[in-house]
Amino acid sequence: MATTDSVATDNKIYALINYEDPYVQPLILSALKKRLPGSSYQLITSSSQLPSSSCRLLQWVQYESIDFDHLMENSSGGLANAYVIRKALIRKHYLSTTIANWITKYPESVLKKHVKPSVEFEVDYAEFLDDALVEAWELKESWARNEDQEDEKKKEWWILKPGMSERGQGIRLFSSEEELTEIFEEWDPESDDEDEDEDARSDAGGGDGDRNQVQEKDEGNGIITSQLRHFIAQPYIHPPLLLSPPNAPSSKLRKFHIRTYVLATSALQVFVYRPMLALFAARPYVPPWDDVLQEDRDEAMRAHLTNTCLQESGDREGSVGLFWDLPSVLPSQPSSPPLTVSSDWKDEVFKQIKETTGETFEAAARGMSIHFQPLPNSFEIFGLDFMVGIESDGELNTYLLEVNAFPDFRQTGEELSGMIEGLFEGVVKRGLVPFFGVEGEGGEADDGMVKVLDIDLGRR
């Protein structure tokens, strides 16, 4: 153990890097090597190797492994790669409330245009669904309109999402109360002795790589039992912008979503990483009212779910590409008005993503401060998912789908791993270098990080 005097002069950063992912771990180490002087930090395998508890410690580990006691007791010298509390963003039902409250307070917010309004409800078993939907006026009014609608193509469709689901699990489509009831009947457990402790895992990892809940998955229904109870229903985005997968440009058009990596640091700056992914569905797109959907719901969902971690290895081939490599000239879209966009449509989409991201984090930080508490000595990478829809006037509109903590970087694949390494380099430059006050390496070269929010929440 070092003496007090030697500790006082020890400016070395002790870096505990253990991400527990063979894809991510070497990329983080490479980013540190490129962006930090070698003499400024020392890798350790356990906090017990610290010369003193007051030493400067960087923790870049899984959420469950973070020593939050050390973090809270060393606000000027301890830095960790996650905020303690952030479920206002990463839990779908909390995010829904965050957005709704913000729009109520600020009716002109961009979130009103770029986030679909949600209907929230809680239900344990199908037999209690009627009680759960007593105040779900939007759903009931939609179902009433659908009953009077003879043209199937003009019916209103909804997408159901378990509030605590990850990796696209448990997502279903419905247009009537009967269809929603059938979904819940599929999920009814065989016994009623299952219990959950939601608060204990609400902030445990929460991303599309959550480790705590995966083993509880019911393989037959594609739903995790501990995710049941909290649900949101949103109007289905139709028509979505459709494109061919990047490695199959001549194939039939498919649905896709944009994966955007976002860095939040201290309390609070937010950066959008300009390189983004386009993740495609495994099957060509079919509208939700198509007969195929009614005959084989699980198979048809493969045309709607763009989360590649649900796809078989063969499906994933060619399903992931770089957003900025998508074609500038868009193909004709089936079942949609003629497009009125120009060749710079990707720039406009990126502009919408930046505006939506910045305001979403501000809404969580200012409007839901109990459930999102940025710390000055923390940073975190989030994965935000967006989908591009086509409006009635032929314009494109970008919608925020969800916010993931500890995103599954492996979706990127080996060929595009350089994008993730660049992301981590940007994190080191924007999150680590300023906090520790070291001289960063790599000069002022563009790191792809675009600042979209910079507010002072008064936390020191």
Side-chain angles (χ1 to χ4, degrees):
M1 183 69 68
T3 65
T4 303
D5 289 339
S6 64
V7 170
T9 59
D10 186 0
N11 289 321
K12 188 178 293 292
I13 302 166
Y14 292 89
L16 177 56
I17 314 297
N18 185 16
Y19 204 79
E20 302 178 31
D21 186 326
Y23 180 92
V24 175
Q25 180 79 1
L27 300 180
I28 296 177
L29 294 175
S30 176
L32 290 174
K33 186 176 182 179
K34 288 183 179 180
R35 287 291 181 174
L36 291 180
S39 60
S40 68
Y41 71 97
Q42 177 180 326
L43 295 176
I44 59 176
T45 58
S46 170
S47 58
S48 63
Q49 295 178 266
L50 290 175
S52 167
S53 61
S54 62
C55 284
R56 300 202 292 180
L57 173 64
L58 165 64
Q59 300 182 70
W60 201 327
V61 298
Q62 287 295 315
Y63 183 95
E64 299 85 353
S65 301
I66 295 175
D67 184 347
F68 284 113
D69 289 335
H70 184 280
L71 186 70
M72 302 302 289
E73 294 169 1
N74 295 271
S75 59
S76 62
L79 181 68
N81 65 308
Y83 294 116
V84 182
I85 298 174
R86 66 275 206 265
K87 58 189 173 188
L89 291 166
I90 67 173
R91 298 304 180 199
K92 296 180 182 65
H93 48 301
Y94 278 90
L95 179 61
S96 170
T97 301
T98 298
I99 301 298
N101 290 350
W102 190 255
I103 291 175
T104 299
K105 189 174 183 179
Y106 302 102
E108 301 304 315
S109 168
V110 296
L111 299 183
K112 188 171 185 178
K113 180 179 180 181
H114 297 298
V115 183
K116 287 286 188 181
S118 299
V119 177
E120 302 177 48
F121 57 94
E122 297 182 24
V123 60
D124 292 288
Y125 305 102
E127 62 183 294
F128 303 129
L129 185 59
D130 287 343
D131 295 334
L133 298 177
V134 167
E135 297 184 5
W137 309 113
E138 297 91 341
L139 282 178
K140 293 181 178 181
E141 291 171 357
S142 174
W143 292 336
R145 290 190 294 269
N146 284 347
E147 286 183 358
D148 296 332
Q149 181 59 255
E150 296 182 359
D151 188 347
E152 290 290 327
K153 297 181 179 180
K154 294 183 178 180
K155 286 187 176 181
E156 301 170 10
W157 282 80
W158 294 76
I159 185 165
L160 176 72
K161 302 176 182 179
M164 293 179 66
S165 71
E166 315 295 351
R167 305 168 68 87
Q169 293 159 341
I171 294 178
R172 297 289 188 269
L173 303 180
F174 66 95
S175 64
S176 67
E177 185 171 8
E178 292 75 19
E179 291 169 354
L180 183 60
T181 301
E182 289 176 5
I183 292 171
F184 279 96
E185 288 176 345
E186 291 178 3
W187 290 342
D188 268 351
E190 295 180 1
S191 63
D192 59 359
D193 58 354
E194 298 172 1
D195 193 15
E196 65 175 334
D197 184 1
E198 173 191 342
D199 290 336
R201 47 169 74 100
S202 286
D203 283 293
D208 40 18
D210 188 293
R211 296 170 181 269
N212 284 342
Q213 300 174 4
V214 167
Q215 294 183 8
E216 298 176 31
K217 180 179 178 183
D218 179 341
E219 297 291 347
N221 294 326
I223 185 66
I224 295 170
T225 56
S226 64
Q227 293 170 354
L228 296 174
R229 182 173 293 173
H230 298 277
F231 295 87
I232 65 168
Q234 291 178 313
Y236 181 74
I237 298 172
H238 186 82
L241 177 65
L242 304 176
L243 294 173
S244 297
N247 292 342
S250 61
S251 66
K252 293 183 179 179
L253 301 180
R254 299 187 189 184
K255 188 177 179 180
F256 72 97
H257 81 263
I258 302 166
R259 164 54 63 90
T260 304
Y261 293 113
V262 172
L263 168 66
T265 182
S266 66
L268 173 70
Q269 291 184 342
V270 178
F271 301 86
V272 168
Y273 186 49
R274 191 176 187 276
M276 300 182 294
L277 297 173
L279 291 88
F280 285 77
R283 297 286 184 268
Y285 183 73
V286 292
W289 57 80
D290 192 282
D291 289 340
V292 175
L293 183 62
Q294 310 307 320
E295 295 174 0
D296 190 343
R297 181 176 295 168
D298 288 336
E299 176 62 24
M301 286 301 295
R302 295 163 69 82
H304 297 270
L305 296 178
T306 53
N307 195 318
T308 57
C309 63
L310 290 176
Q311 299 174 6
E312 299 174 359
S313 58
D315 293 332
R316 283 196 298 270
E317 305 241 349
S319 293
V320 181
L322 297 176
F323 169 78
W324 295 103
D325 286 348
L326 295 177
S328 297
V329 178
L330 296 175
S332 299
Q333 302 289 304
S335 306
S336 69
L339 295 176
T340 58
V341 298
S342 60
S343 59
D344 62 353
W345 68 272
K346 286 178 284 188
D347 291 324
E348 178 58 30
V349 166
F350 187 54
K351 177 184 176 183
Q352 295 176 12
I353 286 175
K354 291 186 294 182
E355 293 174 343
T356 304
T357 299
E359 193 135 352
T360 297
F361 276 79
E362 184 172 7
R366 296 193 188 278
M368 292 282 281
S369 57
I370 295 177
H371 301 300
F372 180 45
Q373 300 181 17
L375 297 176
N377 59 331
S378 292
F379 68 93
E380 185 158 0
I381 303 171
F382 296 90
L384 274 64
D385 292 335
F386 293 88
M387 182 160 291
V388 182
I390 303 175
E391 303 295 278
S392 58
D393 59 2
E395 293 288 338
L396 301 182
N397 190 44
T398 310
Y399 294 95
L400 172 65
L401 301 180
E402 62 185 33
V403 178
N404 297 286
F406 282 78
D408 183 5
F409 295 111
R410 285 171 296 177
Q411 291 185 79
T412 310
E414 293 298 332
E415 292 185 1
L416 302 178
S417 62
M419 171 188 166
I420 303 302
E421 184 175 355
L423 167 65
F424 293 150
E425 289 183 32
V427 171
V428 174
K429 177 181 177 181
R430 304 288 183 160
L432 276 61
V433 169
F435 180 82
F436 288 115
V438 297
E439 191 70 31
E441 300 286 314
E444 295 300 319
D446 182 20
D447 58 2
M449 290 291 186
V450 181
K451 186 184 292 185
V452 296
L453 184 65
D454 189 350
I455 57 178
D456 187 351
L457 297 176
R459 294 171 185 165
R460 301 291 184 266

